[in-house]
Amino acid sequence: MGKRLRIDQIHPLQDGQPAKQATSVLIANGQIVAMGAQAINATADQVIDGAGQWLLPGLIDLNCHLGEPGPDRRGTIATETLAAAKGGFTQVCAVPETSPVNDSGAVTHLILDLAAQQGQVRVLPVGALTRGLAGEMLSDMVGLMGAGCIALGNGGRALRDARVLRRCMAYAHTFGFTLFIQPENAVLAADGCAHDGALAARMGLPGIPAVAETTAVSEMLLLAEETGVRLHLGQLSCARSVQLVRAAKARGLAVTADVAMHHLVYTDQVITGFDGRFHVRPPIREESDRKALLAGVEEGTIDAICSQHRPQDQAAKQAPFAATEAGLSGLETTLSLGLRLVAQGQLSQGALLRALIPGPAAVLGQPLPQLAVGLPADAVLLRPDGQWTVSPQTLLSTGKQAPAMGETLPGVVSLTMVAGQIVYQQAD
Amino acid sequence: MATMADSNRQLQLTADGELKHFLSLEGLDRALLTRILDTADSFIEVGERSIKKVPLLRGRTLVNLFFEPSTRTRSTFELAAKRLSADVLNLDISTSATSKGETLSDTLLNLEAMASDMFVIRHAHSGAAHFIARDVTPGVAIINAGDGRHAHPTQAMLDMLTIRQHKGSFTGLKVGIVGDVQHSRVARSQIQALNILGAEEVRLIAPDTLLPTEPEAMGVRVFPRMEQGLKDLDVIIMLRLQRERMEGALLPSEREFYKLYGLTREKLALAHPKAIVMHPGPINRGVEIESEVADGPQSVILNQVTNGIAVRMAVMSMAMSGQLAERQQQAKAQQKAQQKVQGNG
């Protein structure tokens, strides 16, 4: 028998909420071997005092850029999976817009090999839906899925040709694959770089109207309905998209959706003063959109909250707004920003935890993540009343362009384990 | 959260409220804009002397950085700087550094290293001047000579000077801006200037395709029909129509645009009889304005050009003195801090 780790005085997640009663958990050979009364006085090689802390099944991120393969300055699988572990994630879906694009089994193997050697958390690659993400030719979908991809996606690149999209869906449906689509009508989005509202108009920034997303959402839903493919819509940004997904679900369509945490926290006002850090795609929209997205998460129309992590170096943001690269680092702030929304009464604790744990698991077709005897110990120990300050020094991601910079946020991950191995532990 | 006005004030004014950059009119108050106009008025006289120079910027180096082509704006900035006795360097960046792969920041840092005191910048990206003032060379006075669709504050101020010369004040004035507001940095700055200076009403006269999103939020009334919009106007500002607008499917044809929104003698008769006609130039005769109107008695288009030099002299001298005041304050603060350290030691 291998080493036995006991964590005492923890409040494990039960039925969607941290248990009131403190208890212990015993972990050995990568699994939970005892919980509750059987664990409390069990002998162990290592004991951690978890007093006042929550023990959660590891969080799952459906949209994350790990920077690899690609230029090192944007981060590597080693650095970004460590950031994921610090953020409480034990599984991250790696987007296909790597360099080279993950459109072949060889690239997928490379990602999985790097993850096995250097990764701290489980890496689930999303393959490119079309070759080179160009939106013209089908990728080797069966080859990609065979190599270990968990879904196929457009990686935030627009699919201009509805006929190609329809065929992608039909082909994927043949084999029961799930599509991860970030919906955007490229023609309507054109050269836009910010939400097409009063603020962008005043700043003279070319706008991306909400209809650039909603017309794409409508198109995707209708095509998915016709082809029968399992569709997951990623990073919704506007109120009308939530309505469309709600209606599609109501008529029984196999569709799921996620939203990035920054779209739940901020409005387009954050780009005031041309702050390129908040140049993200889709753009952050208005308060009415933010409220509708929060309501969508609360009621479950939106199944998951993702980080939409895109590590960027300083140079990527050192330019006039439209010329900056889109994206910010989100892995380490997602859970904390969510807990702040809960503290502010904007989102319920149950909905937040659902959207970070069982919600994304269901999108991936995984069994309900649970803390139970006999299951792999993918878990996070969290001090919900702990606080930390976001700064370039506290962030482990290579990308230091993050939201809430300089702010003190609630929720400190003290330990993350994957299959019983501690992959991150907060320094004392 | 800081509003647009707050962040602009913070960036372009010293602690004492003096101008140190001139990036956009957002957040500036009526007193400051009036001071710019008054200073410009005093410089008009300089242009009428036989020796058209004052020594305000002697020994200072000004770099004209035009990332977009321009004849009129650049030459008036150059003339303005020379009348203030500055050393002027003109750089046509579109053909030099950036084509060799140098970033905007690096280009600017190199120029700063040559001990420049002021950059006049025109760039295709909205927010370029803000970016440079905030992140690249905060110790160099930045004058925005047009950034994307965002702002062209010196153009707006020379227009305000022209209006004040002809109308005396802004109180009770009704001003209409006609044409492609959506793509116009000039219009955005004019709307702000007119609202700050207290014009009674600012109207936009254009079809929906040429209007920005939620135009009313800018403090204007929208008139899709020119005949209605022109009624009682004291000032008519015509904007230049770019030919790309037809290709971008924003308008059917120049002919239809002229029919609906071109300023002809008949349409001009609908405005106040003493209305003045303005245009930032260069004008498209027969597209947005009839030749007879452009050259007619109500046109003040050439006054605008003359005023351009005076307004740019005003803004440059004010921003330079703001920068110098700030440098002095910083030096003093440093001295104090050093004395404190020595005192403690």
Side-chain angles (χ1 to χ4, degrees):
Chain A
M1 192 143 194
K3 276 193 158 190
R4 292 156 70 93
L5 168 67
R6 199 180 78 214
I7 312 176
D8 290 338
Q9 296 291 319
I10 43 109
H11 301 265
L13 190 76
Q14 276 169 358
D15 303 324
Q17 295 288 354
K20 293 249 178 337
Q21 188 89 36
T23 185
S24 296
V25 62
L26 186 68
I27 293 152
N29 297 326
Q31 291 188 345
I32 296 174
V33 293
M35 275 186 87
Q38 286 80 33
I40 286 177
N41 289 313
T43 52
D45 304 288
Q46 189 187 354
V47 176
I48 292 173
D49 177 15
Q53 303 198 54
W54 296 355
L55 188 72
L56 307 174
L59 314 188
I60 303 169
D61 189 7
L62 293 178
N63 189 283
C64 170
H65 200 301
L66 297 174
E68 211 170 2
D72 282 356
R73 62 196 169 83
R74 296 284 162 84
T76 61
I77 284 178
T79 61
E80 302 315 294
T81 56
L82 182 61
K86 175 169 172 270
F89 293 96
T90 56
Q91 299 185 70
V92 292
C93 294
V95 295
E97 63 262 45
T98 44
S99 177
V101 166
N102 183 14
D103 63 355
S104 72
V107 179
T108 307
H109 283 305
L110 172 66
I111 293 169
L112 289 172
D113 287 349
L114 287 167
Q117 291 158 16
Q118 299 160 20
Q120 304 297 334
V121 302
R122 299 181 198 271
V123 174
L124 314 176
V126 176
L129 184 59
T130 58
R131 217 174 285 180
L133 290 172
E136 287 161 7
M137 295 166 78
L138 304 198
S139 64
D140 296 338
M141 294 189 202
V142 174
L144 283 163
M145 297 296 285
C149 286
I150 49 86
L152 300 155
N154 67 334
R157 310 267 177 88
L159 294 152
R160 285 170 184 272
D161 188 332
R163 194 177 62 150
V164 171
L165 176 60
R166 181 165 174 255
R167 289 177 176 170
C168 285
M169 287 184 169
Y171 192 77
H173 172 254
T174 316
F175 305 99
F177 300 153
T178 300
L179 299 194
F180 274 26
I181 305 285
Q182 185 182 319
E184 183 184 88
N185 180 323
V187 179
L188 288 175
D191 59 348
C193 61
H195 168 61
D196 188 26
L199 183 67
R202 194 154 144 197
M203 294 167 74
L205 292 173
I208 302 177
V211 288
E213 178 171 305
T214 54
T215 56
V217 168
S218 293
E219 183 184 43
M220 302 293 164
L221 290 172
L222 292 169
L223 290 172
E225 195 163 18
E226 190 231 11
T227 56
V229 76
R230 251 288 275 120
L231 175 66
H232 175 73
L233 293 169
Q235 300 88 59
L236 299 184
S237 73
C238 57
R240 194 89 177 84
S241 296
V242 181
Q243 281 179 13
L244 289 165
V245 171
R246 186 185 295 130
K249 284 187 164 185
R251 60 174 195 271
L253 205 63
V255 61
T256 51
D258 72 54
V259 60
M261 182 54 85
H262 41 262
H263 286 106
L264 295 175
V265 175
Y266 299 104
T267 68
D268 62 347
Q269 300 300 316
V270 286
I271 64 166
T272 293
F274 299 97
D275 187 350
R277 198 157 39 107
F278 288 99
H279 178 193
V280 292
R281 195 112 179 198
I284 298 173
R285 301 190 188 273
E286 294 174 17
E287 181 64 6
S288 55
D289 296 301
R290 191 182 77 87
K291 285 268 160 65
L293 291 164
L294 279 167
V297 173
E298 193 66 55
E299 74 191 18
T301 297
I302 295 177
D303 303 82
I305 298 171
C306 70
S307 73
Q308 206 193 10
H309 182 75
R310 296 285 183 284
Q312 300 287 8
D313 60 357
Q314 179 80 5
K317 298 288 187 183
Q318 275 291 321
F321 188 90
T324 56
E325 306 242 9
L328 43 73
S329 290
L331 279 169
E332 293 161 80
T333 49
T334 296
L335 176 58
S336 287
L337 287 171
L339 289 168
R340 188 170 72 178
L341 288 173
V342 171
Q344 290 166 340
Q346 301 197 52
L347 187 66
S348 72
Q349 184 173 294
L352 173 70
L353 295 174
R354 185 180 65 221
L356 290 171
I357 305 166
V363 170
L364 294 169
Q366 296 178 356
L368 180 72
Q370 288 187 79
L371 298 168
V373 173
L375 292 180
D378 277 23
V380 176
L381 195 58
L382 174 82
R383 283 196 283 122
D385 53 356
Q387 294 198 319
W388 67 291
T389 302
V390 185
S391 75
Q393 290 74 41
T394 55
L395 291 172
L396 298 180
S397 169
T398 303
K400 306 298 182 189
Q401 306 292 320
M405 195 55 83
E407 293 174 40
T408 298
L409 299 179
V412 174
V413 170
S414 55
L415 181 151
T416 302
M417 64 172 74
V418 175
Q421 296 293 314
I422 295 173
V423 294
Y424 168 79
Q425 193 161 14
Q426 194 204 6
D428 289 323
Chain B
M1 189 171 294
T3 64
M4 195 76 190
D6 293 338
S7 83
N8 264 295
R9 248 195 313 273
Q10 214 174 14
L11 190 55
Q12 54 187 345
L13 300 183
T14 65
D16 300 331
E18 300 290 320
L19 209 60
K20 59 174 177 173
H21 300 295
F22 196 52
L23 309 171
S24 88
L25 302 176
E26 182 110 38
L28 302 186
D29 62 12
R30 191 181 299 187
L32 182 61
L33 296 203
T34 306
R35 204 140 55 79
I36 294 173
L37 295 179
D38 294 345
T39 311
D41 261 337
S42 72
F43 283 131
I44 285 177
E45 177 265 331
V46 174
E48 287 158 0
R49 293 186 203 163
S50 58
I51 294 170
K52 302 177 174 58
K53 274 204 184 209
V54 286
L56 282 170
L57 293 189
R58 186 154 58 202
R60 304 285 166 203
T61 305
L62 175 138
V63 186
N64 258 328
L65 281 161
F66 278 63
F67 294 86
E68 269 187 348
S70 153
T71 329
R72 185 174 329 209
T73 305
R74 184 166 120 172
S75 46
T76 53
F77 266 111
E78 187 177 345
L79 267 179
K82 286 183 169 160
R83 286 189 186 171
L84 292 168
S85 313
D87 296 322
V88 183
L89 178 65
N90 286 318
L91 283 181
D92 187 1
I93 304 289
S94 52
T95 58
S96 64
T98 43
S99 57
K100 292 177 192 151
E102 190 175 61
T103 67
L104 178 57
S105 306
D106 289 334
T107 307
L108 272 291
L109 289 171
N110 274 298
L111 291 166
E112 187 190 25
M114 298 174 200
S116 306
D117 297 288
M118 185 177 293
F119 293 149
V120 175
I121 293 164
R122 168 168 291 189
H123 197 281
H125 281 308
S126 298
H130 279 72
F131 161 67
I132 292 160
R134 187 189 58 212
D135 292 345
V136 188
T137 54
V140 178
I142 306 295
I143 311 288
N144 185 1
D147 62 326
R149 305 173 187 177
H150 171 237
H152 193 351
T154 59
Q155 173 71 44
M157 289 311 290
L158 72 89
D159 294 334
M160 296 308 114
L161 186 63
T162 311
I163 293 173
R164 195 172 80 165
Q165 283 166 351
H166 288 88
K167 296 291 170 189
S169 88
F170 295 88
T171 317
L173 278 193
K174 291 193 171 82
V175 182
I177 302 175
V178 186
D180 186 6
V181 179
Q182 154 84 325
H183 299 92
S184 174
R185 54 192 171 212
V186 174
R188 280 179 179 75
S189 288
Q190 286 168 336
I191 293 166
Q192 280 173 345
L194 288 163
N195 281 319
I196 294 165
L197 288 165
E200 185 178 306
E201 190 177 307
V202 183
R203 299 180 188 171
L204 301 185
I205 301 170
D208 284 2
T209 48
L210 298 184
L211 287 173
T213 308
E214 297 179 43
E216 289 82 4
M218 294 180 176
V220 298
R221 280 182 71 189
V222 173
F223 288 79
R225 298 209 169 264
M226 194 173 187
E227 288 74 11
Q228 289 162 7
L230 286 175
K231 198 166 174 292
D232 303 326
L233 279 189
D234 302 293
V235 178
I236 305 166
I237 300 175
M238 301 303 296
L239 298 175
R240 179 179 167 80
L241 186 76
Q242 310 277 355
R243 198 146 272 147
E244 299 101 86
R245 305 304 167 229
M246 263 60 73
E247 287 148 25
L250 292 165
L251 289 173
S253 65
E254 281 182 2
R255 211 170 58 152
E256 180 152 317
F257 181 78
Y258 185 64
K259 209 170 136 195
L260 294 171
Y261 299 100
L263 189 62
T264 57
R265 279 163 292 178
E266 297 79 55
K267 287 206 199 104
L268 181 56
L270 300 170
H272 191 283
K274 287 191 175 161
I276 54 170
V277 175
M278 302 173 68
H279 192 301
I283 59 175
N284 286 317
R285 292 166 188 267
V287 177
E288 65 252 355
I289 190 164
E290 189 178 32
S291 266
E292 285 76 3
V293 174
D295 305 328
Q298 285 168 273
S299 165
V300 297
I301 295 170
L302 290 175
N303 291 47
Q304 288 175 265
V305 181
T306 318
N307 287 337
I309 300 169
V311 159
R312 281 157 188 148
M313 288 171 78
V315 169
M316 288 194 283
S317 57
M318 288 168 74
M320 196 65 241
S321 82
Q323 285 286 347
L324 292 176
E326 196 166 79
R327 279 182 214 173
Q328 273 172 357
Q329 271 174 353
Q330 279 166 355
K332 251 190 211 163
Q334 237 170 12
Q335 221 173 13
K336 247 189 188 168
Q338 268 173 4
Q339 279 168 353
K340 214 172 161 187
V341 170
Q342 283 164 356
N344 288 345

